[in-house]
Amino acid sequence: MSSSDTVSGSVPQKGRGRLWRLGEWCARRPVVVLVGWLLVLVGVQVADHLVGGAYSDDFSLPGTQAQDGRDVLAAHEPAAGGTSAQVVLHDGQPLVQFQAQVDQAVTSLQHLPHVLSAQDPLPPPGQAPQPGGPLAADGLTGYVTVRFDGVPSTFGSDYLTQVDGAVAPLRQAGVQVEYGGPLGELARPEPSDRVSELIGFGVAIVVLLVGFGSVIAAGLPLVSALLAVLLGLGLLGLLAALTTFATVAPTLATMIGLGVGIDYALFLLTRHRQNLMDGRDPRTAAGHAVATSGRAVLISGCTVVIALAGLSVSGISFMAKLGLAAGVTVVTAVCGALTLLPALLGVIGRRMDRFTVRTPVAEGTGPDDRSGTDEGTGPDDRSGTGGMWHRYARRVERRPWWYLAAGLVTVLVLAVPLPSIQLGHIGDGADPTSFTDRRAFDLMSAAFGPGSNGPLTVVVDQSAVAASDRPALASAVQQALAGVPDTASTAPLQTSTDGEVLFTTVTPAQAPQSEQTTDLVGHLSDTVLPDAVRGTPAATYVTGTTAAQVDFLDLVAARLVPIIAVVVALAFLIILLVFRAPLVALKAAVLNLVSIAASYGVLVAVFQWGWGGPALGVSGKVPIESYVPMMMFAIVFGLSMDYEVFLLSRVHERWRRTGDSRGAVAHALETTARVIGCAALIMVSVFAAFIVSDNVVIKMMGLGLAVSVLIDATAVRLLMVPAAMTLLGGAAWWTPRRLDRILPDIDAEGTNISPDDGS
């Protein structure tokens, strides 16, 4: 509606709608709903166990140089193609003393399924080790390069047993054997999020008990969220049977599902408890809670899912599927809040506060501020006169510029490190020393240099070059590769068995995740190789695991801005549709962008600058994993809209009833601060608990999301949003008449429901 149409008390009373009837039906028939949920949950879990798929990082990037080079090499020299991994050998004595065991292990590896070739690291008897070869100068360390026809991490634990059997003679002789690269990823311990989940749940219980006082009320959101996440993970496992999801997908889905699941249930529960205090019977109270707060939950859930769907704009299936994985548990969390929670409330009835640890409270009323008189036309309009949040809201109302400035200064200071962000790939060197790939990384770095952990394969397709010109081409390529900056060594060029392809290995001087190695890949592919074959029809490629990671980084960096634009535009549109106020939607988009920039800055300081990384179990300074900012943006932007919708719903509801814009902001802040604060603290604890994970990317994601929610719930939601809304005043809800005519009427806060209906 336009601002001129707003008058106190002019809201039509439409009675009970579908959401009210849904919530009340679930509360009246809790046994049916609970049994239905359990049957679906058990059925999905059993189906997942029987036919569900596995998770792996086996994904391709069609059209990239690394993928094209890999395809060319595989077509002309299969033994040199595929995915390579190292089996690293080390002993205090020269490895030549274990010639028989090494030969036996290499032969056994060559005969394993999926193995294309295995290179013996020892030179023929009587010959010295070749410089730059797979045996160190001191002879104490060597590596077997094994090439597979797929990604080893997808082969399963049974395959690892076969590899262990192949190298058993070496281990029996006392030689240290470690697996590097993708083979090392297969040998990593099975990831478990149980500790993180227990920590998150433990903190959530404490927060709910302290914040709301009731034992039963503290348990209901946790039960609802847990069952919803279990259902979502089961569905994700069934989807994994149809397509490939990354190994971090279930952890990410658990993290997001628990966070939003507890939040959504909490917002409905607090409204329900307030309804009980206002004298409604439990079933009617549940219906009213779903009809009011449930609307905001539904809109918030849609916002999160839409933000996650925005990842598909990247055109990278890996990213789109991570968004899909998180979206599955968000959908089940919404379903749990709208159906499972009302059923549980129906079972509990009026016994919610039977076991308490302090005086129970609900919504904005606390033990010290419930003495105020009701000022509005309905039970949700009370504004306490002496509570902490009431006094704080009035201070913001009196000095909005001060609070807006304080919030902006806070987020801008935190965002200072952002301009120096370095996207990249986190290598094995950041893993715990208990991982075999980390030990392999350290052995390779000490014996051959850090770049040996990420060799680059140079491929030259000379199939279109005349036979008479091929020797000159090979000489030009070999000469061009000699002495390239940031390279440790370059092996002699080899020719494929059919003579159509030249290939060699270039070893970087720095570690795979370093900025110098990233620049080296670009320098080789964009300058060195094209210059070497200029004037010929030859095609050149830089491929290998490290080159593929650089290509992925380039794709993400090129598409990050479009994704940000799409997600911001979608979020702006949703807020505009819900509240019919362009200035409110613009304010929400801008402030959320600022808060996300601050969380990026914290990640750069902690991981890239090393300010606290070791304390989190990260070895040394690491770049920001290339896809983390993109994932964080979609997730955080969606989650931040949760609190935006809940807070603005109350502002809008109050403003429509009273026409007092400043009072509406203060009332909404007072009413929602405790609930939003507890919800944010729970979500922060759930995300932060994943910092204990051994996976550095999960640590990074957990810290980034925790910091983002913390900034959003404090600097943004408690400082900048109420200050900005107070400064905008009634203009915040202005809608151009032409726009007003075309926008649908979405009642986010349920003001079209009679406050006395059914009481």
Side-chain angles (χ1 to χ4, degrees):
M1 68 172 61
S2 62
S3 58
S4 60
D5 297 330
T6 303
V7 229
S8 176
S10 65
V11 181
Q13 307 297 329
K14 297 181 181 178
R16 305 182 184 187
R18 294 179 181 177
L19 284 177
W20 186 313
R21 293 196 297 270
L22 173 64
E24 194 167 6
W25 187 89
C26 292
R28 290 185 183 280
R29 296 169 176 80
V31 175
V32 174
V33 177
L34 293 177
V35 170
W37 258 88
L38 291 176
L39 288 176
V40 172
L41 178 60
V42 171
V44 169
Q45 288 291 331
V46 170
D48 178 29
H49 180 73
L50 295 176
V51 300
Y55 302 96
S56 74
D57 294 324
D58 181 17
F59 64 96
S60 61
L61 299 172
T64 60
Q65 185 167 182
Q67 185 65 46
D68 291 345
R70 177 179 175 177
D71 294 342
V72 168
L73 190 58
H76 295 276
E77 189 67 22
T83 301
S84 65
Q86 295 79 35
V87 176
V88 185
L89 315 177
H90 177 76
D91 197 80
Q93 306 177 57
L95 291 176
V96 293
Q97 298 186 17
F98 305 95
Q99 180 82 53
Q101 291 90 342
V102 171
D103 291 344
Q104 183 179 354
V106 171
T107 301
S108 299
L109 288 171
Q110 289 174 335
H111 287 89
L112 289 180
H114 303 293
V115 172
L116 300 174
S117 65
Q119 178 189 14
D120 194 323
L122 301 181
Q127 292 187 14
Q130 180 182 359
L135 184 65
D138 60 7
L140 303 180
T141 305
Y143 61 91
V144 181
T145 299
V146 186
R147 295 187 177 274
F148 301 89
D149 61 7
V151 179
S153 58
T154 67
F155 294 162
S157 57
D158 291 342
Y159 191 80
L160 180 63
T161 302
Q162 298 181 57
V163 176
D164 289 339
V167 301
L170 285 166
R171 286 183 169 143
Q172 291 169 1
V175 177
Q176 181 182 356
V177 181
E178 306 294 349
Y179 306 140
L183 186 60
E185 295 175 9
L186 174 63
R188 288 179 181 178
E190 190 71 22
S192 175
D193 304 322
R194 188 167 301 169
V195 174
S196 298
E197 293 165 3
L198 290 175
I199 293 174
F201 264 81
V203 175
I205 291 173
V206 173
V207 171
L208 290 171
L209 286 174
V210 173
F212 297 98
S214 169
V215 175
I216 295 177
L220 290 180
L222 302 179
V223 172
S224 174
L226 178 60
L227 294 178
V229 167
L230 289 176
L231 177 60
L233 291 176
L235 293 173
L236 181 60
L238 295 178
L239 287 176
L242 304 176
T243 186
T244 303
F245 285 89
T247 53
V248 300
T251 301
L252 181 64
T254 301
M255 191 187 305
I256 304 305
L258 282 179
V260 300
I262 295 174
D263 265 15
Y264 293 162
L266 180 59
F267 281 110
L268 263 77
L269 180 66
T270 51
R271 178 66 75 107
H272 173 78
R273 295 181 74 240
Q274 187 63 60
N275 290 337
L276 292 179
M277 292 180 179
D278 292 335
R280 286 189 170 94
D281 69 85
R283 294 166 180 173
T284 304
H288 183 268
V290 174
T292 50
S293 294
R295 292 171 186 262
V297 166
L298 190 58
I299 293 170
S300 299
C302 290
T303 305
V304 177
V305 170
I306 289 173
L308 292 169
L311 291 171
S312 61
V313 177
S314 68
I316 304 172
S317 62
F318 173 83
M319 298 297 303
K321 290 175 183 177
L322 283 180
L324 174 60
V328 168
T329 50
V330 172
V331 171
T332 56
V334 172
C335 293
L338 297 182
T339 60
L340 178 59
L341 182 64
L344 293 172
L345 295 176
V347 172
I348 298 301
R350 295 190 178 277
R351 299 184 296 274
M352 182 175 297
D353 297 329
R354 184 173 182 179
F355 307 103
T356 61
V357 295
R358 52 165 292 186
T359 304
V361 295
E363 294 200 333
T365 57
D368 58 346
D369 68 350
R370 284 180 292 162
S371 57
T373 59
D374 292 356
E375 299 177 340
T377 59
D380 300 318
D381 289 319
R382 64 176 47 80
S383 184
T385 59
M388 177 186 70
W389 290 114
H390 175 80
R391 294 190 295 271
Y392 175 77
R394 294 304 176 187
R395 284 197 295 268
V396 175
E397 183 181 354
R398 288 193 298 269
R399 297 181 179 85
W401 282 111
W402 286 97
Y403 285 88
L404 180 62
L408 283 174
V409 168
T410 300
V411 296
L412 290 177
V413 168
L414 293 175
V416 166
L418 178 57
S420 62
I421 189 171
Q422 175 201 341
L423 299 181
H425 177 70
I426 299 174
D428 297 338
D431 286 333
T433 54
S434 59
F435 285 13
T436 183
D437 55 350
R438 166 62 189 277
R439 296 193 295 269
F441 183 96
D442 291 343
L443 288 173
M444 293 285 289
S445 298
F448 305 99
S452 62
N453 291 287
L456 307 173
T457 302
V458 170
V459 179
V460 180
D461 184 356
Q462 59 177 1
S463 57
V465 178
S468 59
D469 295 333
R470 291 182 178 182
L473 175 65
S475 177
V477 172
Q478 189 73 64
Q479 185 176 355
L481 292 175
V484 175
D486 292 321
T487 59
S489 64
T490 301
L493 273 176
Q494 300 181 58
T495 306
S496 61
T497 52
D498 61 6
E500 301 295 317
V501 170
L502 301 173
F503 61 95
T504 187
T505 299
V506 175
T507 302
Q510 303 299 325
Q513 69 269 26
S514 70
E515 192 172 1
Q516 294 91 331
T517 299
T518 300
D519 293 341
L520 173 61
V521 173
H523 183 51
L524 288 173
S525 60
D526 298 337
T527 304
V528 174
L529 293 173
D531 288 348
V533 303
R534 194 177 305 280
T536 74
T540 61
Y541 310 92
V542 180
T543 186
T545 301
T546 301
Q549 291 165 352
V550 172
D551 283 346
F552 181 76
L553 168 62
D554 292 340
L555 279 175
V556 170
R559 297 173 185 180
L560 181 58
V561 173
I563 284 181
I564 290 176
V566 168
V567 173
V568 170
L570 290 173
F572 174 87
L573 181 60
I574 290 173
I575 296 296
L576 179 61
L577 290 173
V578 172
F579 297 108
R580 309 170 67 84
L583 291 179
V584 169
L586 180 62
K587 179 270 309 171
V590 171
L591 293 187
N592 285 332
L593 281 173
V594 173
S595 68
I596 291 171
S599 62
Y600 285 172
V602 173
L603 283 189
V604 171
V606 171
F607 292 95
Q608 191 177 312
W609 292 1
W611 293 8
L616 300 180
V618 180
S619 300
K621 302 174 183 178
V622 298
I624 305 303
E625 183 67 38
S626 55
Y627 64 86
V628 165
M630 188 182 292
M631 285 298 304
M632 270 186 58
F633 181 82
I635 294 169
V636 170
F637 212 89
L639 294 180
S640 65
M641 286 299 173
D642 281 1
Y643 302 141
E644 189 80 17
V645 169
F646 285 117
L647 177 59
L648 290 181
S649 294
R650 286 310 182 89
V651 177
H652 198 209
E653 176 184 4
R654 180 72 169 187
W655 175 75
R656 293 181 71 180
R657 289 179 176 175
T658 66
D660 177 10
S661 59
R662 282 176 168 259
V665 174
H667 170 79
L669 182 60
E670 176 188 354
T671 304
T672 63
R674 176 182 283 108
V675 181
I676 289 180
C678 288
L681 187 55
I682 290 169
M683 194 175 285
V684 167
S685 66
V686 169
F687 291 153
F690 284 85
I691 295 174
V692 303
S693 170
D694 289 331
N695 188 310
V696 180
V697 176
I698 296 299
K699 289 179 185 288
M700 190 175 291
M701 190 76 77
L703 178 65
L705 293 176
V707 170
S708 298
V709 173
L710 184 61
I711 294 172
D712 188 77
T714 54
V716 175
R717 221 53 57 194
L718 293 181
L719 295 174
M720 292 191 287
V721 169
M725 292 296 296
T726 299
L727 290 170
L728 287 173
W733 306 109
W734 167 78
T735 308
R737 290 188 178 274
R738 183 173 298 179
L739 181 63
D740 184 56
R741 286 195 295 268
I742 63 176
L743 288 176
D745 187 8
I746 301 176
D747 184 21
E749 57 272 6
T751 52
N752 288 351
I753 299 171
S754 170
D756 299 318
D757 189 4
S759 57

